[in-house]
Amino acid sequence: MSPQHAFARKIFYLIGLVLLVAVLSWLGQPTASEGSVEGKEESASGFRLPNLAQLRLRYKLSEAQLGEIDPAGTTIKLATLGLRGVAANILWEKANNYKMKKDWTNLSATLQQITRLEPHFISVWRFQAWNLSYNVSVEFDDYRERYRWVIRGIDFLRDGIRRNEREPMLVWDVGWYITHKIGTADESKQFRRLFKEDDETFQRWEDYRPAADRDNWLVGKDWFWRSEKLVDQGADLRKTTPVLFFSHRPMSQMNYSEAIEKDGIFGEKAKEAWKKAGDEWFEFGARAIPTTEKDRYIHLNDAEQFDKEAADRIAKLEAFEPGLREKIRKERYEKLPAAKRKAYETPPEKRTRDDWEKAQEVAEQLIVTHDQLARQISGPNRPIAIKLAREAAEFEKKAEENRLYRQIVNFEFWRERARYEQTPEAIFAREYAFKGAEALANADLIKAREMYEQCFAKWRQLFDRKDFAQLKNDDSLGQEIVGIIYKYRQVLEKSDQPFPKDFVLNDILELHEKNWRAREGK
C-alpha cells in the first residue's frame, strides 16, 4: 500500500470518528426544556428529530419517570464501570448461598445490593419477595417470626414499587401476598390477627388505617384495585392472563365475606358483605377483558344474552317449516347401515367398544346445522333463513367462547354463591352451624344438637325455594353440608341417639356423601 493511500485512510477514519462523536454527543444531550413538544425540539426551520433524552421523556422511560431515584444505587452502577450485570449475577449467587446457610441478615443485605444495581429488573423484586415471604418464612417455628418474614417480603415489594411506579404486577403481588399468604396459610387465623394488631407496620406504610379496617382481604383488595388502575392507564400486564388478573379484586371480597363468617360474624354485616361481593362480581363481568386476539374484548356477563339472541333466531328459522329439522334427521337415520342403527339403539350400558364408536358416528351424522336446515327451506324465505342461520351460529360461537373464559375463573359458581349466601336462610344456617361447632367443642351436646338441627332446617328452606331449584346439585356446597352432618352424627352418637330416618337433608346426603367420603379418605 502506498504512503498516499495509508494517509488517506487515516484521514477517512479520523473524519468518521469525529462524525460518530458528534452524533453521540447530540443523542446524549439533555432534554430540551421550554421549546420541546412531545420530544420534538423546535428550531428556526420547524421541528427536528428528538434525541435520546427526549425519547426517554416522551415514552416515560427516564429514571425519574419510572420511580424514585436512589442516589446510592446510581453511585454503585457507576462504580461497576458497565459491568453491573456481572455484579448482579455474582450477588445473586451470594444470596442463594446465604439462603442455604440460613444467614438471613446477609441475605437481606445482598438483596438490597442487587436491587440497587438493577432497580428496574422486575423479576428480581418478584422472585426475591416470594423468597422472603414464602420460602424463608417457613424456616421458623414461631408463627410470629414467620409473620415478620411475610411482611418483609411485602416491604421488599413496596420498595420495588417506589422504584417502578408504573409496574402493575408489583402492586398486584402486594395484594396477593396480603390476601393469599396471610389469609390462606396454615396459620392464617394467627396471621390475620397479627395483621390487624400490627401498628408498627401500618405506621410505616403510607396507607395507615385503624385496626378495625385492617382485614387482610380488604387491604389486599385495595392493592388489586391500584394495579387495575395502572393497567387501565396503559401499563403492560406482561404474560399475566387478563381475566385472572381482574378477577382477584372481587374474589377478595368473596373471601372476606367467607372469612368473617368463620370468625363468627353474621347478620346484616355478613349479608352486606355478600351483597357487595355479588355487585363487584357483576362489575367484573361487565368489564371489557382483552382476549388472545388483538383488539378483541369480551364481557363475561354477555353469555346469557348471546344464548337469547341465538335462540330467537333459531325459533324464527324453524318457524318457516316446523318439523323440518326432525324430518331431515329421520331421513338420514333411515339411510344408515343396519349395523350402525343397531349400535345406536343399543342401551349405553350394553354397548361394546365397537358399538360406542358406531353410536358416536351416528350421533355426529344426525346433527343438522342451522345452515343445513336453512338451505332446505324453499321459496322467498330461503335467503332470510340463511341469514338467520348464520347469525344464530355466530351468537352460539360467541356464547361458547364466553363460557370458556368464564371457566378460567369459575364465574358462574361464584356468581351463584354470592346470590344464595346473602339470603336470610343461608346466613342463619351458617350461624347455627358455627354455634353448633362451638357447643360441640365445649361438650354441650344438647345445644349442639339444637343448633345443628336449626342449621339443617334453614338449608332445607333454601333448597326448596324455586329460585334456587338447582342449588342442591352444587357439589361444593353439598360436600360442605355433609361435613356438618357428620359432626351432627357425632353429637347423636355421644348422646346415644340414633340418626333420624326421616332426616331433613337426606337427599343432599345421598347426592354428595360419596364425594365427601372420597375427599376425606373415609
Side-chain angles (χ1 to χ4, degrees), residues 100-203:
M100 288 188 290
K101 294 175 182 178
K102 300 184 180 181
D103 185 348
W104 312 126
T105 302
N106 280 321
L107 173 63
S108 296
T110 306
L111 294 180
Q112 289 297 331
Q113 291 175 325
I114 294 174
T115 56
R116 283 175 176 172
L117 278 172
E118 298 284 1
H120 307 306
F121 185 22
I122 304 304
S123 295
V124 172
W125 296 103
R126 300 191 75 189
F127 176 81
Q128 296 296 7
W130 180 277
N131 204 17
L132 295 172
S133 289
Y134 283 80
N135 296 333
V136 176
S137 65
V138 299
E139 297 291 338
F140 297 89
D141 295 327
D142 187 345
Y143 71 86
R144 287 176 287 268
E145 192 64 25
R146 292 199 294 271
Y147 170 78
R148 279 192 285 272
W149 278 94
V150 172
I151 296 299
R152 284 191 185 186
I154 296 172
D155 284 338
F156 191 79
L157 282 170
R158 290 171 65 98
D159 286 341
I161 293 170
R162 280 190 282 273
R163 304 286 188 274
N164 303 274
E165 295 173 352
R166 295 187 290 113
E167 178 50 57
M169 292 316 300
L170 291 179
V171 179
W172 186 92
D173 282 341
V174 173
W176 176 257
Y177 287 27
I178 292 174
T179 54
H180 181 265
K181 184 60 181 175
I182 293 176
T184 65
D186 292 338
E187 54 277 90
S188 60
K189 185 175 182 180
Q190 293 88 348
F191 279 5
R192 277 170 52 79
R193 176 177 55 79
L194 288 172
F195 190 71
K196 288 182 179 180
E197 298 170 354
D198 195 351
D199 287 327
E200 180 184 349
T201 294
F202 276 94
Q203 286 173 0

